[in-house]
Every structure is written in C-alpha cells, then in structure tokens.
Amino acid sequence: MKTICLYFEIHQIIHLKRYRFFDIGTDHYYYDDYENERSISDIASRSYMPALETLLTMIKENEGYFKVAFSLSGVGMEQLEMHAPQVLAKLQELNETGCVEFLAEPYSHGLSSLANEESFADDVKKQAAKVEEYFGKKPTVLRNSSLIYSDDIGCQAAQMGFEGMLTEGAKHVLGWKSPHYVYNCNIAPNLKLLLRDVELSDDISLRFNNTEWEGYPLFADTYINRIASLPEEEQIINIFMELSALGIAQPLSSNILDFIKALPACARAKGITFSTPTEICRCTKSVGALDVPDTLSWVDEERDVSCWLGNAMQREAFNKLYSVADRVRIARDPRVCQDWDYLQASNNFRFMTTKPSNVGLDRGIYSNSFDAFTNYMNILGDFINRVNSLYPEEIDNEELNGLLTTIKNQGDEIEMKDKEIIRLKTKLEKMQANEEKLKAKAAKPAAAPKKRATRKKATDNPAEEA
C-alpha cells in the first residue's frame, strides 16, 4: 500500500542590520529588529496561520487518517515567540491531535555539519530540547538544514541516536534508483533515509501558480492519480517543502490551500495512506544502502552546497566563523552563544552567492554578493574580537576548557556549600526556637492543686447529722 509522507519546514531569517567598519568595537548589536518583526508577522498572517488552520481542519475531518510532519529551527522558534506566538500555539493544538510529528534539525539552521562535529551535535541537541519543551516528545528523526546530507553526516546522526534522516532524492546520487523506497546510511546501516521526491514536491512548492507550466492548472485528483500510477512496489512518497510555500511562494489567491485540503479524500479513494517519518522508519525495511560520499542538499540544480560555499568570499566567511567554534562551545557565554546561533544561519552565506538560480533570491538590504560579504565580515570581525577579549587567543582550547571546568566545579562546590549553610542555619533556628519554648515552660510557676469538692452524705436522722 502506498503512503505519503508530507513534511513542512518552518524557519525564519534573522535579518542583520547595516554594520560599518567603524562600528567594530563600539556596537555589539547586529540585528534589524524592525525588519525581523515585520517579515515574520507578514509570513505568519499570509502563510503560517492559514496553512496550519487548514492542516488542522484536514486532521479533524479525516479522524486519524491524515498525518503531517514539521521541523522548526531554534532561531525561527525564537522569532515566533517574540513576534508571532499564535503560530506556536496553533502548532501545539496540532500536536494534541496525535497526527503530527516534529523533527530535529540544527537550532541555528546553519552549516555546522560541514565544519565541526561537536558544534553540529550541540546545535541539534539544543533544538531537540526546545522541541521537546514545546511539544512533549523528543524527536527521533533528523532533518539537516536544507536537507544537507553525506555518509559522514548520516553516521554522526546515527551516533546521536536518530532512527532516520530526511534528504534529497537527487538524480546524481540515485542514478537508476527510485526515491520511493526506504534506504539506509552507507556507513551506519541502522539509520533509515527518506528521500524527497523532487518533482512531486516542486510541483506544489515552485510551479503550482505558474501559468506557463505545462502541468498548470494542477488539481488534487490529477496529482494523486500520478502517485497511484507509480509501480506497485514503489510505496513511499516523500513530499517535502517549506511551509511558506503555502501562501508566500504560492499565494493564497492561487487556491493552493484548497488543493492541499482536497488531497486526503483523493488519496483515500485510491487506497493511499499518510504516514509520519518515524512510522515509516519503524515499519518499512530498507532496500539497501545509499552511497553519498559528497554532500548533497535540496537547493539549486546541482543539489549540492555550492550556493553557500561556491565562491572565495563565502569560504572565507565560513572558515572565519568556524575558526572560533570550539571556543564558543567551550565558553558557553549566553550572549555570545545567541549571536553565534544567528551568525551561523545559512542565509548569511546564501546572500553572498554569485551563482544564477532558478529560484528568485531576495538579498534584502544587500545590493549584491560583495555587499553582503562586506557587511557580514564587519559583524564577524566584532564578534570574534568579543570572543577573543573574553577568552584570549594565547590560551589554547584545551587550557581554556580546563580553566572553565575548574571554575565551574568551584562554582558548583560553592553552591553546594551555600545550600549546606542554609540547611544548617534553618536547623539551628529550629533548635533555638525549641530551646526558647523549653525555657519558657520551665520559668512558668506551677499551678496550685485544685480542691476536690465533697458531698455530705444525706441521712434521715437529724441527730446523727448533729
């Protein structure tokens, strides 16, 4: 029986402000708060809320038949907390239906998996903890930023305990193989791989409203019929996209939500079900290993990482940023770590690309790739100066780790002693109070014994009485 795995990504760009060379050392705040609030409020009203409301209605109307998965970057969740908490509330309402799965991904939506294993592990664990805090369940399937994957990344995901991972069904990786099966990591067989169907996903997210596309207009029954007509043995249909495709990339006026809402009824008529990634990983056997020695992603025609690291500017910024990765991770300074999350976000490097793209690239405040590079490097220069001022370069990472561990242990010891002092003080106060009560009792004069009243025996003889 064929099953559809429908997954949506939710991530919000953190917009950087104009930052000049002369701001280095004087201004340590790097963000355009107005644009951040404006952009996420706009996306929430035009896309997230109507899309999530539609998905909730679909779940309720289909009584456990329709299922969907989401992943949220940590920085995106922070923006939603500040500017659009109604989106998180709606996601929690969806979660209560039991038909939704939330996946793990890097907190920063960054490229740490390409640079530093420890930073990548920390990034994922931090996001997974936030997801568990909101939705009450620890993620069991990982989705890397932009579906970035390689054999080495898959091996690390398996070591972190994940059951499965999502990635791109790229032609140069699959060759003659189909994306409609479950595969496993080449060097970690226990990690299942779910591959995105590029054509079926992009028909919705990229082409749905394109009047020049030969498949326009696309109807739900036509779409499901294409899935049903696939060879019988091809049973896993993975349709992955950004949630903003519903309302932003494909405007609501295109009737995109009506199309999505009609899918369950059409699928049910063809005997096609819906499943979450974990359900598929647990119920479906792998047909074999997928060999991915080089990194792939879901971006551009090449399906690689060249849109982030394809030119010298991008590589210089990337290497400069991750040159302090170990020190930031070791130090755990809250303000530095927050800036670290925001500066890692992949869009910062995407803005520097010089590649042509079949998907329109909005560079925001930047006029060109060099402008984006210059602004980012100014901010990065100030950030690295802050890290080095807190933790001087002459102290190597091992020594710094030892010093901070010693400080932490001493702090923990002091905290334990403070708690013991408080406990002893409380105990002493109780003893003193009891002592005062005993003294007060001893000082109180003894009360005189009460005389017992006696009754005279009544007799009938008055002489006897005399």
Side-chain angles (χ1 to χ4, degrees):
M1 180 181 290
K2 287 181 170 55
T3 191
I4 296 172
C5 179
L6 185 61
Y7 151 81
F8 295 101
E9 175 209 5
I10 298 177
H11 167 63
Q12 179 61 27
I13 290 174
I14 303 296
H15 295 274
L16 303 177
K17 69 180 183 182
R18 276 289 177 190
Y19 195 91
R20 311 293 180 183
F21 175 80
F22 298 103
D23 294 327
I24 298 174
T26 61
D27 182 3
H28 304 316
Y29 192 77
Y30 312 133
Y31 314 107
D32 186 339
D33 290 335
Y34 171 78
E35 182 57 26
N36 284 326
E37 181 176 2
R38 186 207 65 77
S39 61
I40 197 165
S41 299
D42 179 59
I43 292 174
S45 62
R46 291 169 54 200
S47 171
Y48 291 168
M49 288 304 293
L52 293 175
E53 191 62 54
T54 297
L55 293 170
L56 180 60
T57 300
M58 292 164 68
I59 290 172
K60 290 180 177 179
E61 288 180 349
N62 289 279
E63 299 179 345
Y65 167 75
F66 177 72
K67 298 175 183 179
V68 65
F70 297 95
S71 74
L72 297 87
S73 69
V75 297
M77 292 179 76
E78 287 185 14
Q79 291 296 297
L80 291 172
E81 286 171 339
M82 287 189 286
H83 305 305
Q86 69 274 19
V87 175
L88 290 171
K90 185 59 67 176
L91 285 166
Q92 288 174 321
E93 189 177 351
L94 278 156
N95 181 54
E96 291 170 1
T97 65
C99 296
V100 175
E101 179 178 356
F102 292 91
L103 311 183
E105 74 161 65
Y107 192 95
S108 65
H109 198 269
L111 307 174
S112 55
S113 61
L114 306 177
N116 189 292
E117 287 189 4
E118 291 81 4
S119 292
F120 177 55
D122 274 7
D123 217 3
V124 171
K125 289 174 184 175
K126 184 177 179 181
Q127 185 268 359
K130 197 170 184 70
V131 166
E132 187 174 10
E133 176 188 339
Y134 265 95
F135 306 112
K137 190 173 182 181
K138 187 177 180 180
T140 57
V141 173
L142 173 64
R143 179 260 184 203
N144 199 4
S145 308
S146 300
L147 297 188
I148 291 172
Y149 177 80
S150 69
D151 290 336
D152 291 335
I153 294 171
C155 181
Q156 189 176 354
Q159 290 170 352
M160 286 191 279
F162 290 105
E163 298 178 25
M165 192 167 176
L166 310 188
T167 190
E168 181 77 340
K171 290 180 181 178
H172 71 275
V173 171
L174 283 170
W176 57 268
K177 298 177 182 176
S178 166
H180 305 141
Y181 296 93
V182 174
Y183 296 90
N184 62 265
C185 176
N186 192 35
I187 55 179
N190 291 334
L191 184 79
K192 302 283 185 66
L193 298 178
L194 305 185
L195 308 185
R196 174 179 179 259
D197 185 304
V198 177
E199 186 176 351
L200 287 171
S201 300
D202 288 352
D203 282 352
I204 298 175
S205 62
L206 298 182
R207 293 184 281 269
F208 184 82
N209 196 43
N210 182 2
T211 56
E212 297 180 1
W213 173 44
E214 61 181 11
Y216 180 88
L218 181 62
F219 296 104
D221 56 350
T222 306
Y223 188 80
I224 293 297
N225 286 340
R226 282 170 56 195
I227 294 174
S229 66
L230 292 169
E232 184 179 350
E233 63 273 14
E234 297 185 15
Q235 296 188 355
I236 309 300
I237 316 301
N238 299 310
I239 301 171
F240 305 160
M241 68 192 77
E242 297 177 0
L243 185 62
S244 60
L246 311 182
I248 302 298
Q250 308 305 320
L252 298 181
S253 59
S254 69
N255 297 320
I256 183 67
L257 294 183
D258 292 331
F259 169 83
I260 294 292
K261 194 172 182 180
L263 290 177
C266 295
R268 195 193 290 266
K270 292 291 183 179
I272 299 171
T273 64
F274 288 83
S275 301
T276 63
T278 294
E279 287 176 340
I280 294 173
C281 289
R282 291 178 179 174
C283 299
T284 309
K285 292 182 179 180
S286 167
V287 297
L290 194 67
D291 186 17
V292 190
D294 300 317
T295 311
L296 63 88
S297 76
W298 71 355
V299 178
D300 292 346
E301 287 296 324
E302 296 84 355
R303 309 294 176 185
D304 59 13
V305 296
S306 58
C307 66
W308 303 290
L309 302 175
N311 63 45
M313 292 184 297
Q314 292 171 311
R315 291 189 293 273
E316 181 180 347
F318 179 81
N319 292 333
K320 189 78 171 175
L321 174 67
Y322 284 99
S323 69
V324 294
D326 292 330
R327 303 180 78 76
V328 171
R329 189 183 67 258
I330 292 167
R332 301 289 185 188
D333 181 90
R335 177 65 190 278
V336 167
C337 286
Q338 184 181 54
D339 290 335
W340 171 251
D341 288 335
Y342 294 169
L343 293 178
Q344 281 191 89
S346 61
N347 57 277
N348 293 315
F349 302 95
R350 176 76 160 155
F351 293 151
M352 303 176 201
T353 188
T354 51
K355 284 181 58 182
S357 175
N358 61 344
V359 180
L361 175 62
D362 180 6
R363 297 185 200 267
I365 63 172
Y366 307 123
S367 56
N368 52 52
S369 57
F370 183 74
D371 187 24
F373 170 73
T374 302
N375 200 69
Y376 184 79
M377 290 303 284
N378 286 340
I379 291 173
L380 189 55
D382 183 78
F383 175 75
I384 291 176
N385 286 345
R386 286 168 55 207
V387 173
N388 290 336
S389 66
L390 288 169
Y391 315 106
E393 288 183 277
E394 54 267 23
I395 304 175
D396 62 32
N397 290 336
E398 187 175 346
E399 186 180 358
L400 176 61
N401 191 30
L403 287 170
L404 292 175
T405 300
T406 300
I407 292 170
K408 183 181 182 302
N409 290 340
Q410 288 175 344
D412 292 343
E413 188 177 346
I414 291 170
E415 185 179 354
M416 287 177 62
K417 288 182 177 178
D418 286 343
K419 288 180 180 178
E420 181 66 13
I421 289 169
I422 292 171
R423 187 184 70 80
L424 292 172
K425 280 184 176 179
T426 304
K427 187 175 180 181
L428 181 61
E429 288 172 359
K430 287 182 179 179
M431 291 173 66
Q432 288 174 340
N434 289 335
E435 186 180 354
E436 292 297 326
K437 286 180 181 178
L438 290 172
K439 286 181 179 178
K441 190 173 181 181
K444 190 175 181 181
K450 291 182 178 180
K451 292 182 179 181
R452 296 181 77 181
T454 57
R455 292 182 62 188
K456 291 182 180 181
K457 187 177 179 181
T459 62
D460 294 332
N461 191 343
E464 253 182 48
E465 195 174 319

